[in-house]
Amino acid sequence: MLGYFCASLDRSNVGMAATTMASALHFSNAQFGFGAGIFFVGYLIAEVPSNLVLARFGARRWISRMLMIWGIFSGMTAFVWNDWGFYTMRFVLGLAEAGYFPGVLIFISWWYPARYRGRATAYFMGAGVCASIFGAPIGGLLLQMENVLGLDGWQWLFILESLPAILTGVLVLGLLTDHPAEATWLPLESRRWLAERLAAERAQQEAVKRYTLWEALRGTKVWLLTFVEFGHQYAGYSLGFFMPLIVKGLGVERAWIGPVVAAPYIFGLVASIAWGRSSDRSGERIWHSVGTMFLVGAAVVACYFIGAGHPVLLMAALCVAVAANQSFAPCFWSIPGTLLTGTAAAGGVAMINAIGNLGGSVGPWLFGAARDATGSTGFALLCLAVGPVIAGVVLLLVGHDRRLEQVPPMPRTR
């Protein structure tokens, strides 16, 4: 959770930095959107290999390496001076961070039985939402550090917000436990019980179908899930990157941009945990995920009709869009972990995330280009609505699978 907080802090701070960085470096909306999104091209290249390495050698050392390296490159973004420098640093940052999110999803499957993965994923991802909640106000304060030691506020934002990732990398190396069998802080009976429970679930999954790595990477359902994740990220990162600029366009003063941007993510944090627990209780994953994607599309379309002339209603619609988008992930990411096991799970989950994350590159670029071309945030939001609606339709095509039938609730133990 600390690591994901750091990852999400970087993704929120680039949006906050845009409010002054873009003008200081003479970036257009399209240039900034392209630079923010090219991060995911580096992510695409390195993510599957990174996850396979993590599955082979363990989470502790590999996650620690990722945190420390991406923290260093995030801080170095403070010293770019033109668009190509920005593109390069974001691309390298994507290479460095690749594999963290899907690696943790695999790590969760090593520890949590299927019935509890929705809420476990929601808690984990809640740390990212907290980064959006607290990162925006903190970023707003850091932006006011103009001309401190000769640096602009946006430069201090990148430098100071890179330090938590480096420190967390050190903590992970010293404290993370790879598998339940190694958890000396658990009683021996508990370790055995958990290991047996997870082994029984894996055997139940593989009795239906056991995928090899190659079968997983070329399987139709995995590619459909990849396209669904593309639509999810298309909407999520467009909202995340441009939310500060949308709020600024409503006439909000600089000092209040951070707190206002944080509001939708507070709703998102509460909604995602509640929705993940609902999915766990019912054992249903598909409709829980589809419903959130349709709601994102509807909320964004509502923003177009509301317009900037009604800022309170517009922010309410954005709160619904962000909350629905955040609630999608805990339910959705329980699906591939139930369909796939072993190396196939490591590679398949990484591929879904890596290619799906390209939506985080296309979305911000298209949003910025539409905003530049029309001068209208409303039209750009209307373009944004297409991705999640199509994602919901595609997820319906995945259909039902016997492995998505959750095992009975786990008995309570002392």
Side-chain angles (χ1 to χ4, degrees):
M1 288 176 70
L2 282 172
Y4 197 55
F5 182 93
C6 296
S8 300
L9 189 65
D10 169 72
R11 298 178 194 184
S12 64
N13 70 20
V14 73
M16 285 300 300
T19 58
T20 57
M21 178 186 183
S23 58
L25 299 182
H26 308 293
F27 290 170
S28 67
N29 286 308
Q31 284 176 312
F32 176 77
F34 179 80
I38 201 172
F39 168 93
F40 295 106
V41 178
Y43 217 97
L44 171 66
I45 294 171
E47 189 155 9
V48 172
S50 176
N51 224 35
L52 294 177
V53 171
L54 181 144
R56 175 66 177 83
F57 295 104
R60 182 178 63 88
R61 288 178 291 176
W62 197 243
I63 286 177
S64 175
R65 186 277 311 169
M66 285 189 280
L67 281 160
M68 288 188 277
I69 293 178
W70 97 51
I72 291 170
F73 281 108
S74 179
M76 290 174 61
T77 308
F79 304 102
V80 302
W81 61 90
N82 60 20
D83 54 345
W84 283 102
F86 181 52
Y87 301 159
T88 301
M89 199 56 60
R90 295 295 296 176
F91 174 77
V92 174
L93 185 63
L95 291 175
E97 191 186 319
Y100 179 77
F101 178 78
V104 173
L105 294 179
I106 296 301
F107 181 73
I108 287 173
S109 73
W110 294 349
W111 277 88
Y112 286 86
R115 176 65 75 170
Y116 285 88
R117 287 178 196 161
R119 72 194 70 180
T121 304
Y123 292 143
F124 164 64
M125 298 192 69
V129 182
C130 287
S132 299
I133 294 170
F134 296 109
I138 293 171
L141 293 175
L142 295 177
L143 286 175
Q144 298 181 44
M145 295 178 62
E146 292 290 341
N147 297 319
V148 176
L149 299 180
L151 298 177
D152 291 336
W154 65 268
Q155 293 177 298
W156 280 113
L157 185 149
F158 281 114
I159 293 170
L160 295 179
E161 291 194 350
S162 70
L163 298 180
I166 299 171
L167 296 175
T168 303
V170 176
L171 288 176
V172 165
L173 188 61
L175 298 177
L176 198 67
T177 305
D178 280 332
H179 297 280
E182 302 167 4
T184 56
W185 40 270
L186 279 177
L188 180 59
E189 181 184 356
S190 297
R191 276 182 270 165
R192 287 175 176 170
W193 179 86
L194 182 55
E196 290 172 1
R197 177 77 183 201
L198 292 167
E201 288 191 359
R202 176 169 176 167
Q204 182 181 9
Q205 291 174 248
E206 293 180 349
V208 178
K209 169 69 176 178
R210 181 176 182 177
Y211 286 92
T212 65
L213 175 62
W214 174 242
E215 287 174 332
L217 295 182
R218 65 184 178 88
T220 301
K221 286 194 174 182
V222 172
W223 277 100
L224 288 174
L225 293 174
T226 298
F227 192 86
V228 172
E229 178 63 3
F230 183 98
H232 168 235
Q233 299 291 13
Y234 173 95
Y237 280 106
S238 297
L239 289 170
F241 285 141
F242 285 96
M243 186 73 76
L245 292 176
I246 294 172
V247 171
K248 182 180 178 181
L250 297 177
V252 176
E253 296 181 5
R254 181 186 296 184
W256 285 97
I257 290 176
V260 173
V261 167
Y265 294 96
I266 296 174
F267 289 100
L269 175 61
V270 175
S272 64
I273 293 175
W275 202 238
R277 293 178 69 89
S278 171
S279 180
D280 278 348
R281 283 194 301 269
S282 66
E284 199 286 318
R285 307 297 189 190
I286 297 293
W287 280 106
H288 272 75
S289 304
V290 170
T292 59
M293 285 291 92
F294 287 163
L295 184 56
V296 173
V300 172
V301 170
C303 290
Y304 172 77
F305 289 103
I306 293 170
H310 301 85
V312 175
L313 288 177
L314 181 63
M315 284 305 302
L318 288 173
C319 285
V320 172
V322 170
N325 202 66
Q326 294 290 340
S327 299
F328 166 85
C331 308
F332 172 77
W333 284 114
S334 297
I335 297 172
T338 306
L339 298 177
L340 306 172
T341 60
T343 304
V349 169
M351 188 185 80
I352 292 169
N353 193 58
I355 299 178
N357 268 338
L358 289 179
S361 178
V362 174
W365 170 78
L366 185 60
F367 187 99
R371 197 167 182 265
D372 284 340
T374 65
S376 168
T377 298
F379 180 77
L381 286 168
L382 196 60
C383 294
L384 186 154
V386 176
V389 172
I390 294 178
V393 173
V394 172
L395 187 53
L396 289 175
L397 299 178
V398 173
H400 182 69
D401 190 291
R402 279 185 292 161
R403 283 159 295 183
L404 297 179
E405 295 175 358
Q406 299 298 306
V407 295
M410 294 171 59
R412 295 186 179 274
T413 57
R414 292 185 183 275

